[in-house]
Amino acid sequence: MKHVISVLVENKPGVLARVVGLISGRGYNIETLNVAPTHDLTVSRITMTVPGDDRVLEQVTKQLNKLVDVIKVYDLTGEKFIDRELALIKVQISGRNRSSVMELASLFKAEVVHVHHKSLTIQIVGGSDEIDNFLELVRANGIVDVSRTGVIALGRTEGKE
């Protein structure tokens, strides 16, 4: 199971390194990682996905809460939350598949951001599953390269998360 964890931290140098070091030092993998300041520039939000069972999540959460620079840890898994990810995907094209790739991109509300003789670069924004589905469908055309941002997420409750 993949857990989505949102961590509010002090916006100071080295905080991200301490958070990542803490998790990786215990042998847990971080599948995706994002960090940026919040509306309060003294606070940053780290969003990460960590694969593992509930025991792994409990250990990660407990360890994060021990760090001085950590303000709050939210486990969004099992909660209602909004998640998005951005991906740039370079797809190999020929005269025959160009229109089918563009139609597929249109179905996913993706945008062609660069056109070359032998490739299209497509930008897609959506949930991780949506991006995975798009990648699976264009894979037959030949994917040249992919860059993904990783998950960002906010809870659907009215308060902070």
Side-chain angles (χ1 to χ4, degrees):
M1 180 174 192
K2 199 181 308 182
H3 297 277
V4 178
I5 301 171
S6 179
V7 185
L8 294 176
V9 297
E10 299 286 334
N11 187 5
K12 295 179 182 172
V15 173
L16 177 62
R18 284 190 285 281
V19 167
V20 170
L22 182 145
I23 294 170
S24 64
R26 278 146 183 88
Y28 302 127
N29 186 33
I30 298 173
E31 195 168 284
T32 69
L33 177 67
N34 256 296
V35 62
T38 64
H39 63 288
D40 177 353
L41 297 180
T42 65
V43 176
S44 287
R45 177 182 305 276
I46 299 172
T47 306
M48 59 184 129
T49 55
V50 178
D53 57 20
D54 290 341
R55 186 188 63 77
V56 169
L57 176 68
E58 183 181 344
Q59 288 300 314
V60 167
T61 303
K62 282 182 179 176
Q63 296 299 320
L64 287 172
N65 279 313
K66 289 180 182 177
L67 289 178
V68 173
D69 300 316
V70 170
I71 299 167
K72 185 77 178 168
V73 179
Y74 300 98
D75 172 22
L76 298 173
T77 311
E79 304 291 325
K80 291 183 177 178
F81 65 96
I82 302 164
D83 68 323
R84 292 291 181 269
E85 186 175 353
L86 181 140
L88 293 173
I89 304 161
K90 191 179 291 184
V91 180
Q92 191 172 17
I93 57 165
S94 65
R96 291 181 291 203
N97 72 350
R98 178 187 301 256
S99 62
S100 66
V101 170
M102 291 178 76
E103 285 176 26
L104 188 60
S106 177
L107 286 173
F108 279 79
K109 297 184 175 126
E111 183 179 348
V112 176
V113 293
H114 187 260
V115 178
H116 197 268
H117 294 353
K118 296 181 179 177
S119 66
L120 293 175
T121 302
I122 299 167
Q123 170 186 294
I124 182 170
V125 177
S128 296
D129 290 343
E130 184 179 0
I131 293 172
D132 289 343
N133 288 339
F134 182 76
L135 282 168
E136 189 60 35
L137 290 171
V138 296
R139 188 172 309 281
N141 295 291
I143 296 173
V144 177
D145 208 353
V146 175
S147 182
R148 296 174 74 157
T149 61
V151 174
I152 58 168
L154 283 176
R156 289 186 182 255
T157 61
E158 288 189 38
K160 284 186 176 180
E161 283 183 25

